[in-house]
């Protein structure tokens, strides 16, 4: 009976990870001379199949100046400084911070109504995060 309980616990944890539909990201500069804009955020894909975020969340692109840690989570936390909602594009699947350069044109790889929502929890310059959101075709929503 004791062997069953750890097995059930492991199964529940593994199932919880399989249901993860969001990606939590924490970044820090490798040098104090580099000003961070985004420090802690979480993004989710809306209008996509379960698991479509997997590759994006495991695709760490590091330019050497920033240290980044990302992991799948079941959902993004509610407490946030603000959120950016943008159209989900083929490029967004690999880089969730990319913009919608086609602005409303049909997207053959992803559903036309699919969105990426990025929730910001900590930022060095929240005004710049908002500007980046809006200049790439997104809609900013404070808290």
């Amino acid at each position: 009976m004791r062997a069953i309980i750890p097995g059930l616990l492991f199964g529940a944890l593994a199932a919880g990870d399989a249901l993860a539909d969001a990606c939590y990201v924490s970044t820090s500069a490798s040098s104090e001379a580099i000003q961070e804009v985004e420090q802690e955020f979480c993004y989710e894909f809306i209008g996509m199949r379960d698991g479509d975020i997997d590759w994006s969340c495991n695709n760490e692109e590091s330019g050497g100046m920033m240290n980044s840690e990302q992991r799948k989570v079941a959902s993004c936390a509610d407490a946030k400084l603000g959120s950016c909602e943008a159209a989900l594009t083929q490029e967004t699947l690999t880089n969730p911070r990319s913009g919608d350069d086609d602005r409303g044109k049909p997207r053959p790889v992803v559903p036309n109504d699919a969105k990426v929502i990025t929730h910001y929890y900590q930022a060095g310059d929240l005004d710049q995060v908002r500007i980046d959101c809006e200049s790439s075709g997104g809609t900013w929503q404070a808290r």
Side-chain angles (χ1 to χ4, degrees), residues 6-65:
L8 291 174
L9 180 60
F10 177 75
L13 291 174
D17 188 45
L19 299 175
D21 286 321
C23 185
Y24 168 81
V25 181
S26 175
T27 62
S28 61
S30 57
S31 167
E32 291 182 23
I34 301 169
Q35 182 179 359
E36 300 171 75
V37 175
E38 304 166 345
Q39 295 173 341
E40 184 180 356
F41 60 95
C42 180
Y43 64 91
E44 55 192 331
F45 294 160
I46 306 298
M48 297 292 288
R49 296 180 313 240
D50 288 344
D52 282 347
I53 203 167
D54 293 356
W55 191 82
S56 170
C57 195
N58 289 317
N59 180 30
E60 289 190 45
E61 290 187 18
S62 176
M65 302 301 260

